[in-house]
Amino acid sequence: MNNKIIIGSRGSKLALAYANKVKNLISSFDPSIEKKITIETIKTSGDLFKDKKISEIGGKNLFCKEIEDKLIKKEIDIAVHSLKDMDSIETKGLVIQAYLKRNDSRESFVSKKFKNLSELNNATIGSSSRRRELQLKLLNKNIKVENIRGNIDTRIKKVETGEYDGVILALAGLKMLKLEKFAKETFSVKDFIPTAGQGIIAVQCREDDENAKKILKKINHNETETCALAERSFLKTLGGDCDTAVGCAAILNKDNIELNAQLFSDDGKKVFNVVKLGKSNQPQLLGKLAGEDILKKSKNSFAKKR
């Protein structure tokens, strides 16, 4: 770490924008360190199989595993991830040492033809997310949902060329790439609950790397960390997998957290909602209690996977 700092990242435009943000934040605390930092792009399983649904190629952590492997082997010093791509159970020997200030966590509707979801009739929306598919049908039953993969640019292009009538994209990614002009409609996190961790950049290092931990502690955003811990605790308690249609969003208000969560039954026919309030100094307890509540509500219609 004294000679150089290697940041590991996926190679997409969005992932590299996140990695550069981490680099710039580290450098802002110590400008002399900037020239020591390099970014190494790493292909993940999720990048290699772009035609298939995430659930078909192994599920959660597909965009993180190869990066984490390099971190464990000490081939990189720091790993940058979208928190929503990470498993709720931390990889042994690694730790998320910094959560950057949360970007906009809301979902947005991108379309060339339409201004909002309510006017869609027999239209085709692209989504690779089971959660988004079922949430869309709650808002408008006259929507057909077809699988779509690829980075943000690719998905927008497929809408612009008429392959799809629209697509749902995280507003955080659009804003990061200055593409928010394509968002025709934006939903509140209570009306269209995003996936846990949406809009949060997580920075990971080895648990025994004290130098990296010291550096990353400086760029951690405490309020974002509080929300992230609540959301990840909820997911861990729920014990689902990448096929589980679940949304979760923590809202921090001074000393209090409001956790909004939504779970669909395995057959997609039932939906369960929980709103849980708690103190900001106990985010993991709040997530656990919300998870237990929604498990009770869903009874036998949701099978806990782990």
Side-chain angles (χ1 to χ4, degrees), residues 2 14 34 39 67 69 75 78 85 93 107 126 135-136 170-171 180-181 196 204 214 238 257 267 271 286 290 297 300:
N2 291 327
L14 184 58
E34 184 176 1
I39 296 172
I67 300 173
D69 287 346
E75 293 175 19
I78 292 168
D85 293 334
E107 299 276 32
Q135 287 173 325
L136 279 167
L171 192 58
E180 61 265 38
K181 66 181 180 182
Q204 194 180 36
K214 185 178 178 182
L238 188 66
I257 314 176
D267 62 11
V271 60
L286 177 65
K297 280 192 172 188
N300 297 324

Side-chain angles (χ1 to χ4, degrees), residues 253-290:
N253 183 13
K254 295 181 180 177
D255 295 330
N256 300 303
I257 314 176
E258 178 182 319
L259 192 69
N260 291 269
Q262 183 177 60
L263 172 70
F264 290 85
S265 58
D266 289 341
D267 62 11
K269 294 178 180 178
K270 297 177 183 176
V271 60
F272 311 95
N273 290 279
V274 163
V275 179
K276 200 82 175 171
L277 302 174
K279 292 295 181 182
S280 60
N281 62 353
Q282 293 183 307
Q284 287 155 312
L285 175 61
L286 177 65
K288 182 174 183 289
L289 293 174

Side-chain angles (χ1 to χ4, degrees), residues 83 90 95-103 196-203 213 216-234 249-252 257 259 279-287:
L83 184 62
E90 194 85 84
V95 61
I96 298 173
Q97 188 66 14
Y99 298 89
L100 302 198
K101 185 177 180 180
R102 191 172 212 159
N103 296 317
Q198 186 153 299
I200 299 177
I201 302 167
V203 195
K213 288 168 76 173
L216 295 182
K217 188 176 180 181
K218 294 177 182 178
I219 69 170
N220 185 58
H221 188 257
N222 293 329
E223 289 84 355
T224 298
E225 179 181 12
T226 297
C227 291
L229 291 175
E231 292 172 22
R232 283 170 65 76
S233 174
F234 168 80
I251 302 167
L252 190 63
I257 314 176
L259 192 69
K279 292 295 181 182
S280 60
N281 62 353
Q282 293 183 307
Q284 287 155 312
L285 175 61
L286 177 65

